Amino acid sequence: MQKNHLEFWYEFASTYSYLSVMRIEELAERNQIKIIWKPFLLGPIFKEQGWDDSPFNIYPAKGHYMWKDMGRRTQQIGLSFKKPTVFPRNGLLATRIAFCGSKESWCPTFTKRVFEANFVHDQDIGNIETLKAILESLKLDAESIIDLSQNQENRALLREQTTTVQQLGIFGAPSFIVKNELFWGDDRLENAIDFL
Amino acid sequence: MQKNHLEFWYEFASTYSYLSVMRIEELAERNQIKIIWKPFLLGPIFKEQGWDDSPFNIYPAKGHYMWKDMGRRTQQIGLSFKKPTVFPRNGLLATRIAFCGSKESWCPTFTKRVFEANFVHDQDIGNIETLKAILESLKLDAESIIDLSQNQENRALLREQTTTVQQLGIFGAPSFIVKNELFWGDDRLENAIDFL
């Protein structure tokens, strides 16, 4: 990883990732930092910990608190937010698309639109039509991108990424890596930037 | 709960409680807030979630990260810290003592000394001698206080407190309650104060 680069690991179903996705670009610009967008799947990581659902569903008190906290935090930073009627939503296809296009210039905007679809407009981001509409709104060739994201190679690379995630010690989202140091949680975004 | 009062719920074995224990008095004074010290046992709460150990031990990646994060945070705020050789330490007797004396003027200082014993001096806070020495260093009648903390009534009240903790929706430590709103984690201490 080059100097002044920050790896931003996020998961589409993750509520706190939404906060960072919407905040990170302004912070990066202000601090002249390059963000490396790293969409990943938290499901396999959670499975290893024995969870087949979000810990916010498995542990109701934690979940109840998280929704309150999300409401307060989004209000505090002036971000729209509506508790989705389904949680967590299936982020597999969105992740395949963002992963496949993670080095393309459209990845950040695509990512933000998907998070807004989930956490502002209560749309099913697991539905191919939702994602197609987002890609089309960005004037992209939605069909080709979706096909590419679904091909054998991209799917295999995404599966292999889980090993990298484990090796990096990532156990939740969002996570930030700067100079080989891991920072976990939207609350640590500023600390990660300061560490650079 | 009266206006400008903040309930501070902490657990003696909890690393992040240490941060708040050492920070809260200065913040409270600066903001003219009265702290209500609420030592409690996290064990029964964790047991309900199916955990018979600290989640930082059950989930190694999370634990590994927590120790790194604690090292960084304590350095950032200028606090001494040494990773204890045993974690989590048994905080039952310390909790009984602090719970029994939670309205006494010595409770905050006793609490700080116990946290320092655990997280700075690597002492066994489950050992009655460690606690006796701390009480004596505060010029208190250690024997009487320990006897009182171990009596039937205090133990029963502490057991009953677990129901209160559950009803308040507390699932971790430190937690703060202001105007019936729950805030979890040392990172939310400032938010809890602002909420007043």
Side-chain angles (χ1 to χ4, degrees), chain A residues 16 19 49-51 59 61-62 65-66 68-69 72-73 76 169-171 180-185 187-188 191 194-195, chain B residues 16 19 49-51 59 61-62 65-66 68-69 72-73 76 169-171 180-185 187-188 191 194-195:
Chain A
Y16 289 106
L19 302 181
Q49 297 178 32
W51 300 333
Y59 308 112
K62 211 179 166 93
Y65 174 79
M66 179 274 286
K68 273 223 110 170
D69 191 53
R72 287 193 303 233
R73 294 293 285 174
Q76 200 178 359
I170 291 172
F171 55 92
N180 298 315
E181 284 272 327
L182 173 66
F183 293 82
W184 169 56
D187 293 326
R188 288 286 179 278
N191 289 123
D194 289 345
F195 196 76
Chain B
Y16 289 107
L19 302 180
Q49 298 177 33
W51 300 334
Y59 308 112
K62 211 179 168 97
Y65 174 79
M66 179 275 285
K68 272 222 111 169
D69 191 53
R72 288 192 304 234
R73 293 295 284 174
Q76 202 179 359
I170 291 173
F171 55 92
N180 298 316
E181 285 272 325
L182 172 65
F183 293 81
W184 171 55
D187 293 327
R188 289 287 180 276
N191 288 125
D194 289 347
F195 195 78

Side-chain angles (χ1 to χ4, degrees), chain A residues 40-91:
Chain A
F40 78 108
L41 291 170
L42 206 42
I45 306 297
F46 280 175
K47 214 164 207 170
E48 262 234 328
Q49 297 178 32
W51 300 333
D52 58 359
D53 193 354
S54 164
F56 295 124
N57 290 340
I58 298 172
Y59 308 112
K62 211 179 166 93
H64 178 80
Y65 174 79
M66 179 274 286
W67 294 114
K68 273 223 110 170
D69 191 53
M70 276 296 294
R72 287 193 303 233
R73 294 293 285 174
T74 48
Q75 199 174 16
Q76 200 178 359
I77 60 180
L79 209 59
S80 298
F81 177 68
K82 193 184 156 198
K83 182 182 170 180
T85 47
V86 177
F87 178 83
R89 284 222 165 87
N90 185 344

Side-chain angles (χ1 to χ4, degrees), chain A residues 4-64:
Chain A
N4 287 330
H5 282 200
L6 182 149
E7 281 185 7
F8 172 31
W9 294 81
Y10 59 95
E11 144 76 50
F12 281 104
S14 147
T15 46
Y16 289 106
S17 290
Y18 170 55
L19 302 181
S20 294
V21 159
M22 304 308 282
R23 297 193 318 117
I24 202 164
E25 287 177 301
E26 198 194 318
L27 282 169
E29 202 178 342
R30 204 189 308 154
N31 294 279
Q32 295 181 285
I33 285 168
K34 182 170 162 52
I35 303 297
I36 302 167
W37 294 70
K38 290 282 188 182
F40 78 108
L41 291 170
L42 206 42
I45 306 297
F46 280 175
K47 214 164 207 170
E48 262 234 328
Q49 297 178 32
W51 300 333
D52 58 359
D53 193 354
S54 164
F56 295 124
N57 290 340
I58 298 172
Y59 308 112
K62 211 179 166 93
H64 178 80

